[in-house]
Amino acid sequence: MTEKRIVYTKHYVVQLLSLVFVLFTHACAPKPSNNVDASGRLVGNISISGAFALYPIAILWSEDFKALHPDVRFNISAGGAGKGITDVLTNMVDIGLVSRDLHQQEIDKGAYPIHVAKDAVIGTINSTHPNFELIAARGLTQQELVDIFVTRKYKNWNEIDSRFVAQPIEVYTRSDAAGAAETWAKFLGVNQEDLKGIGIFGDPGIAQAIKDRPLSIGFNNINYLFDLKTKLPSSGLAVIPIDINHDGKIDTEEDFYSTLPELTAAVAANRYPSPPARDLTFVIQQEHRDNALLKAFIQFVLEKEQQGYLLENGYVPLNEEAIAVENKKLLTR
Amino acid sequence: MRFRLWKDKLVQYGSAFLLITKILVVVLIAVGLTLKSLPLLKNENLWEILSSSVWSPLRGNFGFLPFILGTVWVTVISLIIAVPLCIMASIYLVEFASDRLRKSVLPLMNVLAAIPPVLYGVWGILFVVPILRNYVAPLFGVDTTGFSVFAGGIVLAVMIFPILISIMVEVMQTVPQELKDASLSLGATQWETIVSVNLRKAKPGIIAAVVLGVSRAIGETIAVLMVCGNVPQIPKSWFDAGYPIPALIANNFGEMMSIPMYDSALMFAALLLFVIIFGFNLISRLVLNRLEDHG
């Protein structure tokens, strides 16, 4: 009698364990099952994860792709560039969204970048800064920015230029590891961890901190710095023009910051230096380059019409040559 | 008949199984974090990383001291603010306040406890940081942006108020009326009675409340991250920016997982946090046991 009961319970435990096991294994992301069905239609799943900078546009693209290929399902999540790359390398997702350059360690492991758009990181100050007009007229050189953000040689504004106020410079940087900060750091020849200053979480956070403080300096992504509706810098913020040729003033060819279309045109034509302009990238596995479904989606994203979305969302489309180069990446083995 | 007995057994074994699962999860967390931190520990000397203060992982400098001290600073500041306030508040609620006030304040405290941390963080950015910068710092003749361990401490202090007050009130209410009456009848004033009877009797409970508060404060992430400045330096004053361990993990995890050493360093930070909280709770548990035995 008793023995029998024990048998039952053991049986039950085994069942419960197997149920747990099934749930666990089931929760793992499904492996990409990409194929073309008999009538030549695309079928399958594309899962995407990664940088917040690319997330909104990736969703737009996926919806348009679904309209053309109703049998394709998308699964998109955001969580940072590093997570996107990790997920791609461990086969959890098909495409990682990345908003910085890949590190060599990541390429060595088989991550393969395909650039799909550009944007830029822009130096920002408060629009009520006492020397606002002067900064707009003379700009800051790369070296001056290095001495503000990296070496901390300049503690006060008047040490940069004697015409500025004798007040301390309040430097703000991103606290979270982010493509924007990494790109800004690259422009200054260092890594994000070398940027000095108060760390604020997130792009909106840094914008808010600079809006609150007249003597502050920081950096933002284009689409946080400019108002996408008015095409002008958001109220309270102003752009720091970069004095590219070090002549102590902003010449006409360096002056493209007043409206969003002007700035994106300058980024597209590489008149704004890169970095801080940067490529936004899809990362796939090296061996997935001939996968029919992924290839179809990435080629679709590189088409003119899809690239056209970018401008109104504060990104910069790739130019013709760049699109040709990226398309080649998919075909060559 | 047999079905009923079977059900009985089912409940017994089922609950046992769930209990074991629960304990296993904690063990698995510790094991997983340790395994993940091994690459770092193999490459670096443990004492070296705990005592060095240079943090630039991409160049191979893993100094955790600024983060450990940042955590300590923020937590200690929050205790300096919260503990005296909460002790006095709970004394007032138990000894002086009318029943109606007590009955309305305690539920309010529970509401405070339910507010999500991110709201405290926003409140910190909108109110605490500007007030520190514009009004408090000038009093001390300091120039600060306001993003500092002090701001983190204030936000944390407000966050641990509810847990401290509700436990302290519970404890104070258990002090026997006879003892208080005896003290008062010997001619002691109300305040003398509170110091020599209430507080002495409630000491273990108050310590237990502080322990719970500290456990919560050490692990609090987003609210502190938003106001503490996140500069990896050792804070030298209340107005310096600091960088607690949970903020380090939250800031870098999503972005840096694909770089093996960096990933390992973050996992080590998580393990460090785990060990600190676990050890702190263990020691305070032992202290409490001794206090209760003697009390």
Side-chain angles (χ1 to χ4, degrees):
Chain A
M1 214 37 210
T2 42
E3 271 180 32
K4 248 190 181 165
R5 267 208 307 275
I6 289 166
V7 169
Y8 279 134
T9 41
K10 274 198 177 144
H11 182 68
Y12 164 78
V13 168
V14 169
Q15 275 195 337
L16 196 65
L17 275 173
S18 52
L19 177 71
V20 169
F21 179 76
V22 165
L23 284 174
F24 260 102
T25 48
H26 197 78
C28 293
K31 285 288 303 106
S33 54
N34 308 315
N35 38 37
V36 185
D37 72 355
S39 56
R41 287 189 316 181
L42 288 169
V43 180
N45 281 319
I46 299 180
S47 48
I48 300 177
S49 87
F52 292 93
L54 263 168
Y55 178 73
I57 197 82
I59 288 183
L60 275 180
W61 281 332
S62 72
E63 279 168 0
D64 274 26
F65 191 75
K66 258 197 304 222
L68 290 178
H69 307 280
D71 299 335
V72 177
R73 301 228 323 272
F74 280 90
N75 183 346
I76 308 182
S77 61
K83 184 173 184 301
I85 299 171
T86 311
D87 286 352
V88 166
L89 294 178
T90 55
N91 252 333
M92 297 289 284
V93 303
D94 307 320
I95 299 177
L97 309 171
V98 182
S99 54
R100 55 164 164 86
D101 290 352
L102 292 188
H103 295 269
Q104 194 54 46
Q105 295 121 306
E106 292 163 341
I107 294 171
D108 293 343
K109 285 191 197 165
Y112 190 82
I114 295 164
H115 306 311
V116 292
K118 294 181 77 153
D119 77 349
V121 183
I122 312 279
T124 31
I125 50 168
N126 185 301
S127 57
T128 60
H129 189 285
N131 310 107
F132 171 67
E133 283 83 10
L134 194 53
I135 290 177
R138 84 182 275 290
L140 290 176
T141 65
Q142 187 180 4
Q143 188 52 47
E144 283 166 344
L145 288 166
V146 168
D147 288 331
I148 293 170
F149 280 96
V150 184
T151 61
R152 294 310 292 275
K153 199 170 91 180
Y154 301 135
K155 292 266 180 279
N156 291 328
W157 283 99
N158 62 338
E159 291 163 27
I160 307 173
D161 186 322
S162 54
R163 293 171 294 173
F164 289 168
V165 284
Q167 297 261 19
I169 307 175
E170 289 182 20
V171 184
Y172 288 96
T173 173
R174 284 281 288 276
S175 72
D176 47 324
E182 192 57 44
T183 308
W184 187 248
K186 200 165 182 171
F187 170 56
L188 307 178
V190 292
N191 288 314
Q192 179 181 348
E193 62 198 31
D194 305 307
L195 294 177
K196 307 288 191 300
I198 297 287
I200 308 274
F201 188 85
D203 219 318
I206 227 179
Q208 190 56 49
I210 293 169
K211 272 180 202 172
D212 290 344
R213 294 169 177 76
L215 296 165
S216 57
I217 183 168
F219 53 85
N220 285 100
N221 277 318
I222 290 186
N223 41 6
Y224 285 98
L225 170 53
F226 280 84
D227 186 323
L228 297 178
K229 286 200 182 63
T230 62
K231 311 287 184 207
L232 298 169
S234 314
S235 62
L237 293 177
V239 179
I240 302 170
I242 296 174
D243 179 8
I244 300 164
N245 55 13
H246 310 283
D247 62 353
K249 63 180 193 296
I250 295 297
D251 313 313
T252 33
E253 67 269 16
E254 291 169 343
D255 184 15
F256 38 68
Y257 298 96
S258 47
T259 65
L260 183 60
E262 267 186 274
L263 181 56
T264 47
V267 172
N270 291 331
R271 281 183 291 135
Y272 184 74
S274 172
R278 61 175 177 177
D279 292 309
L280 298 171
T281 310
F282 277 4
V283 170
I284 57 174
Q285 282 211 17
Q286 183 80 17
E287 57 259 31
H288 283 175
R289 278 196 295 158
D290 54 350
N291 176 311
L293 181 62
L294 284 187
K295 213 154 75 173
F297 178 60
I298 296 171
Q299 278 168 343
F300 171 80
V301 161
L302 292 168
E303 280 167 16
K304 223 175 180 53
E305 186 198 347
Q306 297 304 316
Q307 291 282 311
Y309 276 152
L310 291 166
L311 278 175
E312 64 206 45
N313 289 293
Y315 302 93
V316 180
L318 299 177
N319 57 24
E320 301 282 336
E321 304 101 81
I323 289 179
V325 169
E326 300 308 314
N327 265 320
K328 273 211 188 70
K329 283 184 182 177
L330 288 168
L331 304 173
T332 49
R333 287 282 301 176
Chain B
M1 189 64 207
R2 235 178 59 190
F3 175 70
R4 278 181 52 234
L5 293 172
W6 191 85
K7 207 159 59 173
D8 204 3
K9 282 285 178 215
L10 184 91
V11 169
Q12 185 194 334
Y13 284 107
S15 346
F17 172 76
L18 290 176
L19 173 70
I20 291 167
T21 321
K22 195 176 143 152
I23 295 169
L24 262 183
V25 166
V26 179
V27 175
L28 282 177
I29 290 176
V31 171
L33 290 178
T34 315
L35 285 179
K36 283 280 217 173
S37 352
L38 277 181
L40 179 75
L41 295 172
K42 277 198 186 112
N43 272 318
E44 312 277 331
N45 163 348
L46 178 64
W47 176 245
E48 192 69 22
I49 46 182
L50 290 180
S51 63
S52 138
S53 55
V54 182
W55 173 259
S56 51
L58 297 174
R59 296 219 189 90
N61 299 319
F62 298 97
F64 278 97
L65 195 60
F67 305 104
I68 297 170
L69 288 178
T71 305
V72 171
W73 267 84
V74 172
T75 309
V76 169
I77 290 176
S78 74
L79 289 182
I80 291 173
I81 298 168
V83 171
L85 264 174
C86 290
I87 290 181
M88 297 318 282
S90 48
I91 286 175
Y92 182 82
L93 282 175
V94 173
E95 294 299 324
F96 300 102
S98 65
D99 272 359
R100 227 176 53 202
L101 181 73
R102 189 165 56 235
K103 284 202 169 76
S104 55
V105 165
L106 287 179
L108 197 72
M109 281 291 143
N110 295 333
V111 171
L112 269 185
I115 295 177
V118 70
L119 290 188
Y120 284 104
V122 171
W123 168 77
I125 288 181
L126 294 181
F127 293 95
V128 179
V129 170
I131 286 172
L132 279 185
R133 178 171 178 268
N134 301 329
Y135 303 105
V136 182
L139 290 181
F140 295 89
V142 190
D143 197 50
T144 171
T145 54
F147 291 97
S148 56
V149 284
F150 194 5
I154 292 174
V155 170
L156 265 189
V158 177
M159 288 182 73
I160 59 177
F161 276 161
I163 195 166
L164 289 183
I165 289 191
S166 57
I167 296 178
M168 284 180 189
V169 168
E170 290 281 329
V171 171
M172 300 260 181
Q173 282 173 329
T174 60
V175 176
Q177 190 59 43
E178 292 83 358
L179 287 180
K180 288 186 245 173
D181 290 345
S183 166
L184 290 169
S185 59
L186 289 172
T189 61
Q190 188 110 15
W191 173 241
E192 285 164 343
T193 305
I194 286 169
V195 172
S196 55
V197 177
N198 287 37
L199 288 183
R200 183 168 298 184
K201 204 71 188 136
K203 200 161 91 179
I206 291 174
I207 292 177
V210 172
V211 168
L212 278 172
V214 170
S215 303
R216 188 167 170 191
I218 290 179
E220 187 44 56
T221 309
I222 192 76
V224 181
L225 184 159
M226 288 164 94
V227 297
C228 67
N230 302 300
V231 179
Q233 62 182 19
I234 296 171
K236 290 184 181 56
S237 85
W238 287 40
F239 294 103
D240 276 357
Y243 205 154
I245 300 174
L248 170 74
I249 300 168
N251 273 328
N252 296 297
F253 192 71
E255 206 67 26
M256 291 298 177
M257 279 159 74
S258 50
I259 300 164
M261 246 358 210
Y262 209 127
D263 185 44
S264 181
L266 292 181
M267 289 297 172
F268 177 74
L271 181 68
L272 203 59
L273 199 59
F274 187 87
V275 169
I276 290 174
I277 291 189
F278 195 83
F280 177 78
N281 274 288
L282 200 69
I283 292 166
S284 49
R285 194 63 256 169
L286 294 174
V287 171
L288 275 175
N289 283 350
R290 291 201 48 176
L291 272 179
E292 279 159 11
D293 291 346
H294 291 286

